Amino acid sequence: MHSHLHTPYNVNCEEIMTALDECHAQGFLIKAMGACNDIKRDVNKCLSGERFDRAKRNRDEARAKRQRIEAIWAKEREISQGSSPAPAAATETTKQ
């Protein structure tokens, strides 16, 4: 049994989920005899597809965010290393 099927994440599956609810509302005997099984499989496929799409979106957003953060880190590294070589260059000229 799915918990909270009717959520904003599953809007594309609303029609199939409503059909499953209607099938279940016909009574226990209908459910027990397996009359709703095909609809249930369709709901599972739809929810699985929605979950896959949501996970893909989340991964893509996470990759983009990680790239932005790594770019910021690279700039910070350049800034911190940009100020460090100056004293090292000054010590080399004093050694000559």
Side-chain angles (χ1 to χ4, degrees):
M1 184 110 196
H2 295 284
S3 60
H4 306 294
L5 288 177
H6 300 277
T7 63
Y9 298 119
N10 303 325
V11 173
N12 295 332
C13 302
E14 189 72 30
E15 185 177 318
I16 301 169
M17 291 185 296
T18 303
L20 181 64
D21 289 342
E22 289 171 0
C23 185
H24 284 175
Q26 291 177 0
F28 173 75
L29 195 55
I30 299 293
K31 285 190 331 185
M33 297 298 289
C36 302
N37 288 352
D38 292 336
I39 300 171
K40 173 80 166 146
R41 278 189 213 97
D42 292 342
V43 168
N44 288 342
K45 285 179 188 176
C46 185
L47 292 176
S48 176
E50 288 294 311
R51 187 178 64 247
F52 177 80
D53 292 343
R54 191 170 54 249
K56 184 179 183 325
R57 253 191 332 271
N58 288 343
R59 272 192 307 276
D60 293 344
E61 290 172 8
R63 284 185 185 122
K65 185 176 180 180
R66 179 67 183 207
Q67 287 176 347
R68 285 194 307 271
I69 290 171
E70 287 183 1
I72 292 170
W73 289 343
K75 287 178 185 177
E76 288 178 355
R77 238 181 273 119
E78 287 176 13
I79 291 171
S80 67
Q81 291 175 356
S83 60
S84 299
T91 56
E92 287 182 26
T93 56
T94 54
K95 288 182 182 177
Q96 294 176 354

